Amino acid sequence: MRSKNSVRFRFGRNAVMQSVVGGIVASVGLELFLHPHDMIAGGMTGISALVSFHTEGHFGILLLLFNLPLLLLYAFMGKTSALRGVLPGLLAFAGSALLLAPFPAVSGEPVVAALAGGFCLGIGAGLAVKSGGLLDSLGLEKGDRIRPRIFVSSAPFGPKRLFVLCHGAVLVLAGAMMGWERTLYSALACIAAYETSALMLWGFRKTAWVMASKPDEILQEVRRRINMDGEVLSEERYGDEDRRFVLKYSVHVLDIPRFKAAIRHSDAKAEILWINRAVREARR
């Protein structure tokens, strides 16, 4: 039987690889589609690109420098687990951007470049967040388990509006510095990136009913690994001491392997019943 430490190591290794792949895919969208056309993304990524365009500095190095305050805040608060989730994807993002910077644009059409770049950026950001990391310190999202809660809970108008405000401010700054035509293409890329990342995070799901005798352990383990909450539907008794609980989860198709691993790790005798119906969860 595999020990808990070996299971956790394999889970951590898979999460790191997913975050690294996300960083590489995001850099492909930026360096091969957006940046050759002087387009930017929102958030700290966009600020780094603006500074890079006007100083001829390397985007990857600037990205690390501008995200450094957040990393230092994590270290100061003792959030070492968050650092382990953030660093692999961020380093892969910055490093692959440095390697891809000399390559020419894949497409010469600005609209195609904006859509393709936003698509790649959304996939990369979604993979990074699903693995417990992030690629941009200004990408404030509800339910984020990485940033300190004060970043999203103290906003008087909610994290979603704060997200729009941050990225809108970067686009307005880009319009003033680079012209509004390129900024409109950049806005199109941001919309494509946001919708693609939303599909990665909240898109096609399956409903899972879990019958288990250790519901508390399952709820805690799934929450820790996938940042997902379940619902206890009912309790059934089989004799005086044998009790089985029915839990309900809405699981993204990309999270199914990690979900199964979390269930097996918490309760080896648990049974999972899948409802083969893909649903799209309403974004809040």
Side-chain angles (χ1 to χ4, degrees):
M1 181 181 247
R2 288 173 295 185
S3 66
K4 290 185 178 181
N5 289 335
S6 65
V7 173
R8 288 175 180 171
F9 173 76
R10 189 178 70 171
F11 164 73
R13 182 181 60 187
N14 292 339
V16 168
M17 287 301 299
Q18 184 172 307
S19 183
V20 169
V21 171
I24 294 173
V25 173
S27 68
V28 168
L30 287 175
E31 295 295 348
L32 299 186
F33 291 99
L34 298 184
H35 289 175
H37 293 277
D38 291 336
M39 301 178 199
I40 66 166
M44 200 63 73
T45 303
I47 295 174
S48 303
L50 283 176
V51 176
S52 175
F53 292 158
H54 288 82
T55 63
E56 297 185 357
H58 292 290
F59 166 76
I61 296 175
L62 292 171
L63 182 68
L64 289 177
L65 290 178
F66 287 142
N67 281 286
L68 185 60
L70 182 70
L71 301 181
L72 293 177
L73 178 62
Y74 290 157
F76 178 75
M77 298 181 64
K79 296 175 74 69
T80 56
S81 60
L83 279 174
R84 287 195 296 269
V86 171
L87 282 176
L90 188 57
L91 290 175
F93 188 22
S96 53
L98 287 172
L99 294 176
L100 293 173
F103 288 85
V106 173
S107 173
E109 293 293 331
V111 175
V112 175
L115 292 175
F119 181 72
C120 292
L121 191 59
I123 291 178
L127 286 174
V129 172
K130 289 181 72 63
S131 67
L134 57 89
L135 301 179
D136 194 309
S137 59
L138 286 183
L140 300 169
E141 288 288 356
K142 183 178 179 180
D144 197 318
R145 58 178 166 153
I146 296 299
R147 301 172 186 81
R149 288 295 176 187
I150 190 174
F151 277 27
V152 293
S153 61
S154 61
F157 36 76
K160 188 171 183 179
R161 293 182 181 177
L162 183 59
F163 175 90
V164 174
L165 180 63
C166 289
H167 289 263
V170 174
L171 290 175
V172 170
L173 179 62
M177 298 176 63
M178 301 168 53
W180 294 105
E181 181 179 357
R182 294 298 177 187
T183 302
L184 289 176
Y185 289 128
S186 297
L188 179 62
C190 288
I191 294 173
Y194 180 78
E195 292 299 326
T196 305
S197 63
L199 184 64
M200 294 289 296
L201 295 173
W202 306 294
F204 297 104
R205 293 176 175 265
K206 287 186 176 182
T207 299
W209 287 0
V210 182
M211 292 189 62
S213 58
K214 301 177 181 179
D216 294 336
E217 287 84 347
I218 289 177
L219 291 170
Q220 181 179 0
E221 187 68 12
V222 173
R223 173 68 181 175
R224 184 183 70 84
R225 292 195 183 196
I226 317 178
N227 194 30
M228 182 170 60
D229 294 320
E231 177 185 0
V232 179
L233 296 180
S234 63
E235 174 186 353
E236 299 179 4
R237 290 182 177 272
Y238 300 89
D240 295 334
E241 298 182 357
D242 187 12
R243 295 191 302 170
R244 303 278 284 180
F245 295 84
V246 178
L247 292 80
K248 180 182 178 182
Y249 281 96
S250 179
V251 187
H252 194 286
V253 292
L254 296 178
D255 286 329
I256 288 177
R258 288 194 294 166
F259 178 78
K260 290 180 178 179
I263 299 298
R264 288 195 300 266
H265 179 72
S266 305
D267 188 348
K269 297 181 179 180
E271 300 178 6
I272 305 175
L273 174 64
W274 293 98
I275 308 288
N276 291 318
R277 181 182 61 183
V279 297
R280 181 160 182 169
E281 187 181 53
R283 287 180 296 220
R284 298 179 179 89

